[in-house]
Amino acid sequence: MPTDTLTVTDNRTGKTYEIKISDGTISATDLRQIRSSPEDFGLMSYDPAFLNTASCRSAITFIDGDKGILRYRGFPIEELAEHSSFLEIAYLLCEGELPTRSQLEVWERDISGHTYVHTSISKFLDGFRYNAHPMGMLLGAVSALSTFYPDAAHVLDRKQRYVQRIRLLAKMPTIAAFAFRHSRGLPYEYPRNDLGYVANFANMTFNIGGRFEPNRVLIRALEVLLILHADHEQNCSTAAMRAVGSSQVDPFSAISAAIAALYGPLHGGANEAVLHMLEEIGDIKNVPSFVEKLKKGHGKLMGFGHRVYKSYDPRARLIKRVADEVFEQTGLNPKLDIALELERIALQDEYFISRKLYPNVDFYTGLIYQAMGYPTEFFTVLFALGRTPGWLAQWEEMLLDPETKISRPRQVYIGHPTRPFVPIHRR
Ligand code: ACO
C-alpha cells in the first residue's frame, strides 16, 4: 500500500526513519531527527544555489521548465500577453485575480495619482555623475524612497502595504525615465497622467519640446515585453526580495535588494551582455568560430540557457513575434542577422542540445530595445520596470505566509578548528 512517506536508513547507526512527503517535497527540518550520536546537531541538506530546494509555497507563477510552460495565477502567458495591459497583469499578480472593469479603473487611478516623485529625489538623481549606470541610479533612488515614506515601515499593516505597492508601481517609471534623462543631460520630463502607463513612460523618456508622438505599435510592444517580465517565480532577484523582506524591512529597501540582484550579468544584465556579445562577433561570418570558442569553455553564449527552462523559453518565442512587429516599424537591426545565425547554429550543435541550452527571454529583447531607441545600459532598467509587480506580489505573499520566518540559511563550516590567537609581532 503506497504511503506519502520516505523511509531512510542511516547506515552510520542502522536506524530507520519515516519522513513525510507533501507536495513532492520533504521538509529539510525533518532530517534533523537523524543523528549519529546524541550530541550530533542532526542531518542537514546541502544545496548551494538552491538547485533542488523549494524555499516557499507560492500561488503566483507556475513554470514547467521541460515543457516550456509559464502561467501567472493559472493564466497562460500567451493569452495574457495577447489580451492584457501591463497594469491589469500587475493587478492580477498582486491581488490574485484579473480585475473587473471598475477594479481596474480604481487601480489605474490610484497608480496615476502617485507618479510624481518628491523634488528631492530629482536632486538626488542630479548628484550622480553624467555617466552613472542607470541601474545604479535606479537602485540608489528606489532605496532612498524609504526615507521619504517612513510609514512604509509598517509592513504588517495591509493598507500601508497597498499604498507602498501603488507608490512603487507609479514611481518606478518616473525614476527610470529621469535616470535616462540625467545621462543625456536633458531636463526631467514630468509625468503625464492623461497618457497610459507605458505611453507616459515613453513620453517621460523621449519627449523633447513636446514633439514626441508615441508610436502605438512600439508602445504595445514595450507593454508586451513588460508583461513577459512581470514575474518568474523564485529567480535570483525575487529570492532576494523575499529574503530581505523577511526581515520586515520596508518594501523600498527590499526591492532595492531585488534591483541589485537583477543588475548582475547572469540575471537581468544578460540582455545588455547579449548586445556586447553581438558587437564583439561583429559579422555573421565570425559566428562559427565564436561558437567553437564557447564550446572550449571561453565564455558563455549570453541569452542562452536557464536554470529552470530546459526547452525553448515560452517568453523568447513570444518576443520573436514582438521583434517582427517592432522591426517593421523601425527597420531591421543589423545585429539581428548575427543573432539568428547564432541561434540556428546553437540549436543544431551537440554541445547546446545535450545541455538543453535554448534562447532565453534576454536573447532578442536587447535588439528590440535598441531599435526602440534605448541605450544598452538601459535594458536592465526596463526589465526592472516589468518585474516590479512580481517582486511586490511575492513580497506580499511572503509576509502573509504563516510559515514565513526570517530567511537564514545554514552552512557547512570548512574553516580552521579552534586555534590560539597569535600576537602581531609573532605572525
Ligand atoms: N553558453 C555556453 N554554455 C553554457 C551556457 C551558455 N549560455 N549556459 C550554461 N552552459 C553550460 C555550462 O557551462 C555547463 O556546462 P558543463 O556541464 O560542461 O559544465 C552546463 O551548460 C550547465 O550550466 P550551468 O551553469 O550549471 O546552469 P545554471 O542553471 O547554473 O545556469 C544560467 C543558468 C546562469 C542562466 C546560464 O545558463 C548562463 O550563464 N547563461 C548566460 C547568461 C544569461 O543568458 N542569463 C539570463 C538568464 S534568464 C534571466 O535571468 C532573465
Side-chain angles (χ1 to χ4, degrees):
M1 185 67 184
T3 57
D4 284 344
T5 59
L6 180 72
T7 304
V8 183
T9 303
D10 183 348
N11 293 322
R12 297 171 301 177
T13 59
K15 277 195 191 163
T16 295
Y17 302 82
E18 196 155 312
I19 294 174
K20 203 171 140 215
I21 299 177
S22 55
D23 297 324
T25 67
I26 57 162
S27 166
T29 49
D30 282 352
L31 299 175
R32 288 276 286 280
Q33 59 182 306
I34 305 177
R35 294 160 190 253
S36 58
S37 67
E39 302 78 48
D40 185 8
F41 178 77
L43 201 65
M44 290 194 294
S45 58
Y46 176 63
D47 190 7
F50 301 112
L51 289 175
N52 194 37
T53 297
S55 61
C56 62
R57 288 170 191 279
S58 182
I60 301 173
T61 290
F62 173 81
I63 301 175
D64 183 328
D66 290 327
K67 296 198 185 117
I69 293 173
L70 170 62
R71 299 183 200 126
Y72 297 159
R73 301 280 187 191
F75 298 104
I77 190 66
E78 293 78 6
E79 290 178 34
L80 296 173
E82 174 134 18
H83 302 295
S84 297
S85 72
F86 178 65
L87 286 189
E88 230 178 324
I89 297 298
Y91 185 98
L92 171 69
L93 290 170
C94 292
E95 305 292 322
E97 293 296 337
L98 283 167
T100 62
R101 201 174 291 278
S102 61
Q103 285 169 330
L104 185 61
E105 274 167 20
V106 173
W107 181 246
E108 289 176 342
R109 194 190 58 219
D110 286 352
I111 291 171
S112 66
H114 285 81
T115 49
Y116 272 61
V117 291
H118 196 289
T119 50
S120 295
I121 282 287
S122 318
K123 290 187 196 137
F124 183 89
L125 289 168
D126 285 343
F128 283 102
R129 274 174 62 94
Y130 69 97
N131 61 353
H133 195 291
M135 265 308 261
M137 294 174 73
L138 184 74
L139 172 55
V142 170
S143 71
L145 283 180
S146 72
T147 65
F148 290 75
Y149 305 109
D151 51 343
H154 304 298
V155 296
L156 300 182
D157 179 330
R158 194 178 58 83
K159 279 197 190 136
Q160 281 298 339
R161 287 200 304 273
Y162 180 81
V163 175
Q164 311 320 329
R165 280 211 301 274
I166 293 290
R167 281 183 174 144
L168 270 161
L169 286 165
K171 293 180 201 308
M172 285 284 277
T174 311
I175 295 173
F178 282 16
F180 179 94
R181 307 284 288 199
H182 175 78
S183 53
R184 300 273 160 120
L186 288 167
Y188 302 131
E189 179 75 22
Y190 288 102
R192 274 202 33 208
N193 296 329
D194 57 314
L195 299 173
Y197 188 85
V198 183
N200 171 49
F201 168 65
N203 188 66
M204 286 190 291
T205 311
F206 294 121
N207 186 39
I208 298 178
R211 287 204 300 269
F212 177 70
E213 279 190 20
N215 173 321
R216 276 165 176 269
V217 177
L218 297 189
I219 296 295
R220 180 60 196 161
L222 181 56
E223 180 153 40
V224 171
L225 292 183
L226 295 180
I227 291 171
L228 296 180
H229 286 85
D231 194 52
H232 213 232
E233 53 118 303
Q234 307 313 312
N235 54 86
C236 180
S237 57
T238 302
M241 179 85 194
R242 279 182 174 260
V244 174
S246 74
S247 74
Q248 298 191 356
V249 72
D250 68 87
F252 300 101
S253 302
I255 215 166
S256 53
I259 295 171
L262 193 67
Y263 199 173
L266 295 189
H267 190 9
N271 52 16
E272 190 177 336
V274 170
L275 259 273
H276 291 309
M277 177 185 75
L278 296 177
E279 262 153 35
E280 186 194 325
I281 296 172
D283 193 290
I284 199 165
K285 71 176 187 322
N286 301 329
V287 169
S289 58
F290 183 79
V291 171
E292 284 313 307
K293 231 171 57 189
L294 292 177
K295 285 161 56 180
K296 291 193 183 115
H298 301 299
K300 281 196 169 158
L301 179 48
M302 299 312 287
F304 257 67
H306 198 276
R307 172 60 58 80
V308 178
Y309 292 119
K310 300 300 169 196
S311 70
Y312 214 100
D313 181 337
R315 301 168 302 171
R317 211 185 294 281
L318 292 164
I319 282 168
K320 262 183 120 171
R321 222 165 53 209
V322 173
D324 291 340
E325 288 161 17
V326 169
F327 295 142
E328 217 168 87
Q329 302 286 315
T330 62
L332 273 189
N333 187 324
K335 292 189 202 76
L336 179 67
D337 285 344
I338 304 177
L340 287 169
E341 182 64 1
L342 263 177
E343 181 182 342
R344 192 188 66 77
I345 293 190
L347 291 183
Q348 292 174 2
D349 194 295
E350 180 50 26
Y351 176 94
F352 295 89
I353 295 170
S354 62
R355 289 169 178 77
K356 300 188 174 169
L357 299 169
Y358 293 88
N360 61 46
V361 68
D362 285 321
F363 194 62
Y364 288 102
T365 44
L367 291 169
I368 301 174
Y369 293 147
Q370 193 172 57
M372 287 174 168
Y374 295 102
T376 316
E377 65 276 11
F378 203 70
F379 298 169
T380 320
V381 173
L382 297 169
F383 192 156
L385 283 191
R387 186 54 57 87
T388 299
W391 288 331
L392 291 169
Q394 300 270 352
W395 171 70
E396 177 88 7
E397 185 176 66
M398 177 275 301
L399 284 171
L400 294 180
D401 185 343
E403 287 190 295
T404 291
K405 286 188 191 306
I406 187 166
S407 190
R408 204 303 186 185
R410 293 274 173 185
Q411 65 166 13
V412 176
Y413 178 70
I414 55 162
H416 291 280
T418 182
R419 45 186 184 155
F421 179 74
V422 182
I424 196 161
H425 63 275
R426 294 212 344 250
R427 281 173 221 161

